[in-house]
Amino acid sequence: MALLSRLAFGPEELEEMKASMNSILTYMDELNQYDTEKVEPMVHAVEQYNVMRDDVPHTSFTNEEALLNAPEKENGYFKVPKII
Amino acid sequence: MKYEAVIGLEVHTELRTATKIFCSCKTSFGAEPNTNVCPVCLGLPGVLPVLNKKVLEFAVRTGLALNCEISRFSKFDRKNYYYPDLPKNFQTSQYDLPICEHGHLDIEVDGKKSTIRITRAHMEEDAGKLVHHGTSITDSDYSLVDYNRTGTPLLEIVSEPDIRSAKEAVAYMEKLRAILQYCGVSDCKMEEGSLRCDANISVRPVGQKELGTKTEIKNINSFRGVERAIEYEAMRQAQLLEDGGTVVQETRTWDEKEGVTKSMRKKEEANDYRYFPEPDLVPFTVSDEYIEEIRRTLPELPDARKARYMAEYGLDAYNADYLTNDKDRADYFEAMVAAGADPKDAANWLMGDFAKLLSRDGLEMKDAPVKAADMADLLKLITKGTISGKIAKQVFSEMWTSGKTPETIVKEKGLVQISDTGALEELADRIIAANPQSVADFKAGKKKAVGFLMGQIMKETKGKANPQIVNGILTKKLSEQ
Ligand SMILES: [Zn+2]
């Protein structure tokens, strides 16, 4: 699970996470008791459909704005650690 | 043992909209890095993506052209994975309710027709581009990221494993490209990445029902690459089985330079995409009226056009296929015919000299420097006997470079064919008198002698003599000798 989420935990944190994950799983078990055979799956919390926009361009960020939060940058690009 | 390949293709095509799928940034190719980006496509916190209407329209249009069922109710999902070209750490895609399902398209290879079923076609967003520092992906110590492409609308079209050879795969890709072009939804340039193809390949002994273990080949970026990569991979797997080995299920990359596929990652660890419904986008419904409205605007598709060319113009399947495989080419052909060119002549020229110069200059059909109407005029000059077919090639090449009309070139260069029988007879007499050996050869039964004398006459007239007339005159005169 930690690998899947790309998160690192210390031994204490791991204990804490275990407890909280277990409580979530217990709750899931509780939900599983109910018969949902005849209930339509809900795909969205809001009863709203077809919110769409026209295909018209608007102003984007400038390069400076885009890189404002970047921890590292180079020549207008975001700079990231080596992957693979 | 004889093996057969079982191939399924996943094709990603960039949709030709003005803006991205969920934000109003432009989709233009080749802009300065990180200038077509905004809070939405950079995945900044608190933003709200909104679906571009045109993307849905293009998806439905393509789905109809591919004989798909269009879902009346559809939604987006998050596909979670970590790679720096994806600023949000998830790709907004469609999982269990794709917009199009259960389609098919027909292909023909070496006279054999096959129907390739299409599992689904769904909308999703493209990722950004990594620019690797260092000479290759492996020896760089950091990467640079450009998010301009992030959020460009894609349609992913997935086929069933109905393809049985590399040639069929190419035919499928060509047909798919033609349909996408005809629908006007994509540029379909494999080299520029607006059409991409991943191939799932397995092999099995001929006659066996169960499928073998498959591999997925990525990084194929040309039509030639599709053919070579699949051919190589099918052979590699068959060889492996033949030698008593087993195929490992893995992702492999196609190395165009070396002409081989290479293992990318064996461990499929943590490759769980954990799809879940995208809470920031509400689902959408598609009405019958909407679908019918789009269906009415569908153009004549490649198969229908091909059938019409065969019926209406008497072209054979091969020629009709060649012309209709590219919408621009078919449009050009029809413009020539409309301007009075004979359809069969027009087809021959487009497949011959015209195609040669296009490929020599690396041009697309739509960038051809010769207008269809001028092409038609050129063919008419041949039909009328004003110029010979041979001279026409010369005129055509001149039209290509100068952009002048064929009439102008013929007049300027004095290329009008000599059909004046009197003048040609006089010339023939002179040539025959000057070449007694050829006359002797002719009498000895060597028909080739006529060709030699014809060549001499053509040389004298700089190719302008009407070959049919000269042939008649020579044969007659030689027999009288
Ligand atoms: Zn944006």
Side-chain angles (χ1 to χ4, degrees), chain B residues 20 23 25 37-38 41:
Chain B
K20 295 185 177 181
C23 66
C25 289
V37 291
C38 73
C41 54

Side-chain angles (χ1 to χ4, degrees), chain A residues 50 53-55 61 76 78 82, chain B residues 19 37 138 140 145 284-285:
Chain A
N50 302 341
R53 40 168 265 274
D54 290 324
D55 186 25
F61 272 159
F78 290 83
K82 179 186 165 162
Chain B
T19 65
V37 291
T138 37
S140 63
V145 198
F284 49 96
T285 55

Side-chain angles (χ1 to χ4, degrees), chain A residues 2-82:
Chain A
L3 180 69
L4 211 52
S5 63
R6 303 290 195 279
L7 295 174
F9 302 102
E12 273 170 47
E13 286 173 310
L14 215 51
E15 278 313 306
E16 207 182 304
M17 285 304 291
K18 226 186 251 172
S20 106
M21 285 303 287
N22 276 333
S23 98
I24 293 171
L25 289 176
T26 317
Y27 180 59
M28 289 293 172
D29 282 342
E30 200 175 308
L31 287 180
N32 277 340
Q33 295 168 10
Y34 300 103
D35 178 17
T36 56
E37 196 64 22
K38 292 199 178 71
V39 183
E40 283 250 340
M42 184 179 79
V43 293
H44 205 272
V46 189
E47 279 272 341
Q48 204 179 5
Y49 304 98
N50 302 341
V51 179
M52 287 185 238
R53 40 168 265 274
D54 290 324
D55 186 25
V56 180
H58 285 293
T59 338
S60 301
F61 272 159
T62 60
N63 183 256
E64 291 72 35
E65 287 170 330
L67 295 170
L68 223 47
N69 287 323
E72 283 195 86
K73 53 198 133 185
E74 190 176 295
N75 297 331
Y77 291 92
F78 290 83
K79 189 173 168 182
V80 298
K82 179 186 165 162

